[in-house]
Amino acid sequence: MSYDLPRLIPDKDFKVPSACGVSGIMNTSGKRFSGNMIVESMALMRERGNGLGAGYAAYGIYPELKDLYCFHMLYDSDLDKKNAEEYIKDHYEIIESEPIPTRKNPHIKEVHILWRYFLKPKFIPEDMSEEDFVVSTVMFINEKINGAFVMSSGKNMGVFKGVGFPEDIADFYRIDEYKGYIWTAHNRFPTNTVGWWGGAHPFGILDWTVVHNGEISSYGINRRFLEAYGYKCTLMTDTEVVAYLVDLFMRRFGYSPQLTAKILAAPLWKDIDLMPEEERKLYTALRMNYGGALLNGPFAIIVANNNMMMGLNDRIKLRPLVAATKDDFLYIASEESAIRVVCPEPDEVWAPKAGDPVVGVLKSARKTQVVLEGENG
């Protein structure tokens, strides 16, 4: 699949306001659709990146192996692959092991070995859940095994990313050959971290993934907060902390997406002071207990897992984010045009307010009708 768009060559005068670009598309009925749709959405926002990173997260792409953990791996060398596989074999039964399918693309310089494993844990320590065991595996590989990096580690999903523009990365990974019911994507314009394959978005842990436009200036505080819970940040990109915070609050603590959003993008103290008493007590407690998880700086993020997709802005909306719905579809993107190129006539379009999440949940994940939450503003 090719996309005939002008190739931008950044120079010293080339500037992009509020780059990077993010997009997410979800079918809330769980109907799978081609990856071509998310590629078309991202290709329209090509100018938001500079060719130093792009990627996709896809859900529902491995239905025949949906009960197995799928590790998408990136290796620097055969020796690094051998070392990681020895560790994986000690802790998991490898059901399938194969290269991630790719095709030649003249704009992508492949510098890594890309591999995927479908895994079943051999044993789980008594003091650890299965999910925590998988998280500990990812932390160990990323921190301790040189030249090995876990791109994704969830069930029935995968992350595909690298250095390049979105449409080239999509062509390289053959995204057009996959079908999923949730897709998220990113076009990177790095400003203060290196452009490397592992630093491209999405970032993930288990089936959680995050794509992010902006800058997390609280990275150091967030990182120290996460280390107290066993997470290790090793990937040289601020977005990594968001993926782990989401896993901590929504999976381990069992908080709702809405409450998690109010921790990550907490109301300002001056706004908390004006709230009714019970609400004021709640938000004061959240700020006092989880101050280390507050994300400072401008950001727009899209978070997803196997059952939901959420869009969230920083608490004063310093990065653009637009949402739309059409029948069973939820769309979230940096630009309205990136939605309309794949959905010309949405039922509803709105710009979410600062700190106010837009949440789509699979109908099958709830007894009640699908929830699409977020104020229109």
Side-chain angles (χ1 to χ4, degrees):
M1 181 65 63
S2 63
Y3 298 85
D4 297 325
L5 295 171
R7 299 200 168 270
L8 302 178
I9 303 176
D11 58 26
K12 63 183 179 63
D13 298 318
F14 184 82
K15 298 183 185 299
V16 176
S18 65
C20 315
V22 299
S23 185
I25 306 173
M26 175 186 190
N27 184 283
T28 55
S29 293
K31 181 179 179 180
R32 299 192 304 148
F33 55 94
S34 169
N36 282 332
M37 186 183 294
I38 193 72
V39 179
E40 189 174 0
S41 175
M42 290 306 299
L44 191 74
M45 297 188 289
R46 180 186 178 88
E47 75 283 355
R48 284 186 166 271
N50 61 1
L52 291 181
Y56 300 83
Y59 293 84
I61 57 173
Y62 301 128
E64 298 84 2
L65 300 164
K66 63 182 180 180
D67 295 323
L68 300 174
Y69 292 99
C70 179
F71 278 28
H72 281 198
M73 299 291 301
L74 181 156
Y75 296 116
D76 286 344
S77 70
D78 289 326
L79 178 60
D80 300 325
K81 178 174 178 288
K82 178 177 179 293
N83 292 336
E85 283 186 349
E86 289 178 356
Y87 179 80
I88 292 171
K89 288 176 181 177
D90 285 343
H91 298 87
Y92 294 84
E93 180 183 356
I94 300 178
I95 307 303
E96 288 197 20
S97 170
E98 62 187 7
I100 297 176
T102 59
R103 65 166 67 99
K104 294 292 184 181
N105 182 288
H107 305 289
I108 301 298
K109 182 180 179 182
E110 186 177 358
V111 295
H112 298 285
I113 299 169
L114 303 168
W115 209 266
R116 64 187 176 196
Y117 307 90
F118 293 89
L119 307 171
K120 181 185 295 185
K122 287 183 177 179
F123 55 87
I124 307 296
E126 292 184 0
D127 61 345
M128 187 178 289
S129 70
E130 182 174 282
E131 292 83 0
D132 285 339
F133 178 73
V134 175
V135 170
S136 70
T137 301
V138 174
M139 296 296 118
F140 183 89
I141 293 174
N142 287 350
E143 183 184 22
K144 301 295 185 182
I145 301 180
N146 290 334
F149 164 63
V150 185
M151 293 192 290
S152 58
S153 52
K155 295 181 178 180
N156 198 17
M157 58 81 62
V159 166
F160 307 85
K161 63 182 183 177
V163 173
F165 283 102
E167 61 272 23
D168 294 325
I169 291 294
D171 179 59
F172 173 74
Y173 278 112
R174 300 160 65 165
I175 294 298
D176 57 297
E177 298 179 5
Y178 293 90
K179 288 186 176 181
Y181 56 85
I182 300 175
W183 291 85
T184 65
H186 187 263
N187 186 13
R188 192 171 186 219
F189 197 110
T191 55
N192 57 9
T193 53
V194 296
W196 71 292
W197 281 64
H201 301 207
F203 282 87
I205 190 72
L206 295 171
D207 65 338
W208 296 102
T209 58
V210 174
V211 291
H212 161 228
N213 169 23
E215 180 180 350
I216 306 300
S217 58
S218 55
Y219 170 80
I221 295 172
N222 301 147
R223 178 175 178 170
R224 288 191 292 273
F225 177 85
L226 285 163
E227 286 173 347
Y229 295 94
Y231 297 93
K232 303 293 184 182
C233 298
T234 59
L235 306 178
M236 299 181 289
T237 304
D238 54 358
T239 313
E240 184 182 16
V241 300
V242 185
Y244 301 159
L245 287 169
V246 166
D247 179 65
L248 175 66
F249 287 114
M250 287 200 248
R251 179 185 65 84
R252 290 176 61 176
F253 291 177
Y255 292 172
S256 69
Q258 293 78 9
L259 185 60
T260 299
K262 296 305 181 182
I263 295 171
L264 303 183
L268 299 170
W269 281 115
K270 67 180 182 64
D271 296 325
I272 293 176
D273 289 341
L274 299 175
M275 293 177 178
E277 182 178 0
E278 290 303 312
E279 194 174 358
R280 185 172 67 251
K281 288 181 179 178
L282 169 63
Y283 285 107
T284 298
L286 292 177
R287 288 293 304 267
M288 297 297 289
N289 284 281
Y290 301 129
L294 173 66
L295 300 178
N296 277 322
F299 68 82
I301 61 174
I302 301 176
V303 175
N305 75 356
N306 276 320
N307 293 321
M308 57 80 71
M309 182 172 74
M310 177 177 75
L312 179 67
N313 269 119
D314 63 82
R315 51 190 177 164
I316 52 178
K317 199 174 176 73
L318 292 172
R319 288 293 182 269
L321 198 67
V322 180
T325 57
K326 176 70 173 181
D327 300 327
D328 288 334
F329 279 92
L330 170 64
Y331 305 87
I332 305 173
S334 297
E335 301 177 12
E336 184 176 337
S337 59
I339 295 173
R340 289 190 180 272
V341 71
V342 295
C343 180
E345 298 182 0
D347 296 331
E348 187 177 15
V349 181
W350 72 99
K353 293 181 179 179
D356 190 27
V358 176
V359 183
V361 181
L362 278 182
K363 292 179 180 180
S364 61
R366 293 196 170 200
K367 296 179 181 179
T368 57
Q369 183 73 3
V370 60
V371 176
L372 293 177
E373 300 192 21
E375 285 188 64
N376 299 4

